[in-house]
Amino acid sequence: MFVVCRSNSSSFRSVVAATRPCFSCPRFPPLIAIPTPSSSIRFPPLRSFSSPRQITRMASKVAQDQQDSRLERISSAIRVIPDFPKPGIMFQDITTLLLDTKAFRDTIDLFVERYRDKNISVVAGVEARGFIFGPPIALAIGAKFVPMRKPNKLPGEVISEEYSLEYGTDKMEMHVGAVQPGDRALIIDDLIATGGTLGAAIKLLERVGVHVVECACVIELPELKGREKLGDKSLFVLVKGAA
Amino acid sequence: MFAEENGLKGDPRLQAISQAIRVVPHFPKQGIMFQDITTLLLDHKAFKDTVDIFVDRYRDMHISVVAGIEARGFMFGPSIALRIGAKFVPLRKPRKLPGEVISEKYALEYGTDCLELHVGAVQPGERAIVIDDLVATGGTLSAGVKLLERVGAEVVECACVIGVPEVKVMIYYLLAGAGLLESHFMFLLSRVKQTNFVEQYQKVAQQLSCSPSKMRLHF
C-alpha cells in the first residue's frame, strides 16, 4: 500500500500549513498536534537573512514531513483481510486504525485541517463506517452531521436514491429537511471503491439544492475508477490501496 | 443513573439536548414512538454539549476502550474516544466485521439478533464503556457488555443519550439475570419527558382505539 494525499481539484492545495489550535469552545482541547521541543521533527537551520519566501518554504517542508509521517502511520494502521466478504476481494479494514489512538486522531486532524476554513455547513456520512469519521470532523469544523442510511432506518420523511451494486441495486436515504438549499456539504466514507455509494450521496444532496464541495475518504482503490462516478466533484483521500 | 441525578441537575445543556431530540410516532411500526437523535446531530451546539458531558464524566476514569453499538453508537462513540484518549471498538451486526470475531446473541421482541466483536481488539484488563444512542430493554447493551467481559475487559459503565425511565427496573433485572455486577449502571443524558410520554402514549392509544396497557413501547 502506498501513501498519497491529493485532490484532483486545483482549487484545493494540499500543502499543510504549520498547525494551530482550533478552539470553537474552551472545553474543546486542540485536535491538532503542535510540535513540541521534544518532538522528533527537526527544524532546518534558519539563516539570519532568510527571506519570507524561504521561511515559508521551510515551514511548508517541515509541515510536509510531519504530514507524511502521519500518513505513513495511518496507512500501516489499516489491515487488509483477504477474501472478505468473498473470495478474491482484499478487504481494507479500518477498525485497526480506530485502535491506534494517534493514527485515528491524525486521520481526523488531516480532514479537519483541509476543511476547517472552507465554510462547510454539512458533513454527510455514509452508513455505517462514514458514521465513525464524519461526526468528529463535523464537530471540529462547526458543521451539522447528516447520516446517509440504508433503506427503512431513518424515521420520518426521507428521500431516496437508487444505485448499482455489482449484482443488483441498493438504495440510500436522507431525511427531508436535514439540509437546506445553499448548504455547503462534505461527503465522508471510509473507502471509495466503484464510487456507486458516493455518487448516490452526491445526487441526494444536489436534489435538495446543496452544493457538494468535495468527497473525502480515508482509502481509495484507484483500479476501480470510483472517481468517474463523482461527476464534476473532487475527491480527497489519505491513502490508496490495491483492489 | 440519569445525568440530572448525577451532579448535572439544572445544567442548561441537558434541556437543549433533550429538546433537540424529536419523536416520530408509528416508527418502525404502529404504536411505537421513535426517539430520533438525528435532529440532535443537526444542532451543532447540542451535539457538542452531548459529547462534552460524556467526556467530562469519563476523562479521568482511565478508560482505554469505547465500544459503540452499530450504527447510532458510531455517531457518538468515536468523538468521545478521541477526546479521552481511548480506542474505539465497533460492536456490529453479524458478518460486517472482517476477520476473526466473537458473537453474542440477544433477544428481540420476536426472535433473536447477534452482536460481534473483533478478536484482539480488546485486551484483558482494559477498562471499557459501552455507548449507544438509546437504551430501551437493555438487550443490545447487555450483549455488548457480555462480549467485552468474555475477552477479559472491565466494563466500567454503559452510556446512552436517552433512557426510558420505566425501563430502569428492567435493566437491573436483565443485567442481574445475566450474572453481571450492578456496577454496570447506566449513565443517561435524557429521559423521555414523563408528561409528554404519558400524553403521547395516551394519544396513540386513542388513535388505535386500544387500551394503553396493551401497547408496548420500543425505541
Side-chain angles (χ1 to χ4, degrees):
Chain A
M1 184 180 298
F2 54 94
V3 175
V4 94
C5 176
R6 69 177 179 91
S7 158
N8 64 1
S9 158
S10 57
S11 61
F12 286 108
R13 296 261 147 239
S14 61
V15 171
V16 175
T19 57
R20 62 186 195 284
C22 169
F23 287 100
S24 52
C25 152
R27 284 173 178 274
F28 241 76
L31 283 175
I32 299 145
I34 300 164
T36 61
S38 60
S39 81
S40 59
I41 295 156
R42 289 167 167 280
F43 284 79
L46 288 174
R47 282 177 285 147
S48 34
F49 301 109
S50 299
S51 67
R53 195 175 301 144
Q54 272 177 324
I55 291 172
T56 311
R57 238 183 281 136
M58 280 189 261
S60 284
K61 170 92 185 36
V62 166
Q64 195 68 45
D65 290 344
Q66 250 178 289
Q67 180 173 299
D68 289 343
S69 77
R70 289 189 289 181
L71 289 173
E72 232 177 272
R73 185 172 178 143
I74 289 165
S75 181
S76 26
I78 297 165
R79 77 171 169 169
V80 180
I81 306 262
D83 303 320
F84 183 89
K86 46 188 213 236
I89 295 185
M90 305 294 283
F91 189 89
Q92 307 281 331
D93 181 17
I94 49 93
T95 63
T96 41
L97 171 64
L98 309 177
L99 299 178
D100 179 340
T101 48
K102 183 179 188 316
F104 185 22
R105 201 169 54 244
D106 287 344
T107 304
I108 301 298
D109 285 354
L110 283 163
F111 288 124
V112 169
E113 284 161 20
R114 182 178 179 82
Y115 296 112
R116 132 178 90 212
D117 298 321
K118 303 282 188 296
N119 294 313
I120 306 284
S121 53
V122 173
V123 173
V126 180
E127 170 159 20
R129 290 183 287 263
F131 294 176
I132 296 174
F133 298 96
I137 297 167
L139 284 169
I141 67 175
K144 309 187 276 202
F145 178 73
V146 173
M148 314 288 268
R149 297 209 68 173
K150 294 276 152 80
N152 310 311
K153 302 288 183 79
L154 290 171
E157 217 192 332
V158 297
I159 55 168
S160 26
E161 184 75 30
E162 225 175 52
Y163 60 100
S164 318
L165 297 171
E166 193 183 4
Y167 300 110
T169 59
D170 204 344
K171 236 198 305 186
M172 179 183 295
E173 293 185 341
M174 179 177 74
H175 264 139
V176 167
V179 292
Q180 311 303 323
D183 266 331
R184 289 168 55 80
L186 167 67
I187 305 177
I188 285 270
D189 206 354
D190 66 322
L191 180 144
I192 174 172
T194 61
T197 323
L198 282 176
I202 293 169
K203 290 208 190 90
L204 266 178
L205 289 163
E206 293 196 320
R207 270 165 63 185
V208 293
V210 168
H211 172 57
V212 176
V213 174
E214 196 160 79
C215 295
C217 300
V218 181
I219 307 162
E220 179 187 11
L221 304 180
E223 288 164 40
L224 300 180
K225 302 200 168 84
R227 285 178 192 254
E228 291 172 11
K229 290 244 174 67
L230 307 184
D232 61 350
K233 301 303 168 202
S234 53
L235 172 71
F236 175 75
V237 302
L238 302 184
V239 155
K240 298 201 177 197
Chain B
M1 178 168 159
F2 286 97
E4 61 186 17
E5 297 152 13
N6 271 278
L8 281 153
K9 189 172 176 64
D11 191 320
R13 297 177 296 176
L14 286 182
Q15 199 179 21
I17 290 166
S18 186
Q19 282 167 357
I21 297 162
R22 76 167 172 172
V23 180
V24 182
H26 307 307
F27 184 89
K29 46 190 209 231
Q30 287 288 342
I32 296 178
M33 307 296 283
F34 190 90
Q35 304 286 317
D36 181 17
I37 48 92
T38 64
T39 40
L40 171 63
L41 308 176
L42 299 178
D43 180 339
H44 178 258
K45 182 176 189 316
F47 186 21
K48 189 159 56 67
D49 288 343
T50 304
V51 173
D52 284 352
I53 292 172
F54 285 125
V55 167
D56 287 343
R57 182 174 180 82
Y58 297 115
R59 170 190 355 243
D60 297 323
M61 286 188 170
H62 306 290
I63 307 289
S64 58
V65 173
V66 174
I69 296 186
E70 167 162 19
R72 288 185 287 265
F74 292 4
M75 298 180 195
F76 298 94
S79 302
I80 298 166
L82 285 164
R83 294 267 304 277
I84 67 174
K87 310 189 283 200
F88 178 72
V89 173
L91 299 175
R92 297 210 67 175
K93 295 276 155 79
R95 292 173 298 282
K96 300 292 183 79
L97 291 172
E100 217 191 333
V101 297
I102 56 167
S103 339
E104 186 72 31
K105 257 199 248 191
Y106 62 99
L108 295 173
E109 191 193 345
Y110 301 111
T112 60
D113 205 340
C114 203
L115 263 190
E116 293 186 342
L117 165 69
H118 260 143
V119 167
V122 177
Q123 306 308 316
E126 293 212 74
R127 286 166 59 80
I129 57 171
V130 187
I131 290 268
D132 206 354
D133 65 325
L134 181 142
V135 55
T137 63
T140 327
L141 276 173
S142 281
V145 169
K146 282 195 204 125
L147 275 173
L148 290 162
E149 296 200 324
R150 274 166 60 186
V151 295
E154 180 197 342
V155 179
V156 172
E157 198 163 83
C158 296
C160 301
V161 181
I162 308 163
V164 179
E166 286 69 17
V167 156
K168 210 193 293 200
V169 171
M170 255 163 91
I171 290 174
Y172 278 95
Y173 176 72
L174 263 169
L175 294 182
L180 299 168
L181 299 171
E182 255 195 8
S183 60
H184 299 305
F185 70 98
M186 322 287 310
F187 181 66
L188 305 161
L189 291 196
S190 166
R191 69 180 75 223
V192 172
K193 281 183 211 144
Q194 291 275 34
T195 51
N196 277 2
F197 189 73
V198 169
E199 272 166 32
Q200 286 164 0
Y201 193 59
Q202 285 172 344
K203 225 185 280 183
V204 178
Q206 219 171 6
Q207 284 168 18
L208 300 178
S209 322
C210 74
S211 147
S213 62
K214 287 225 164 82
M215 278 169 43
R216 255 158 329 148
L217 294 153
H218 307 264
F219 299 102

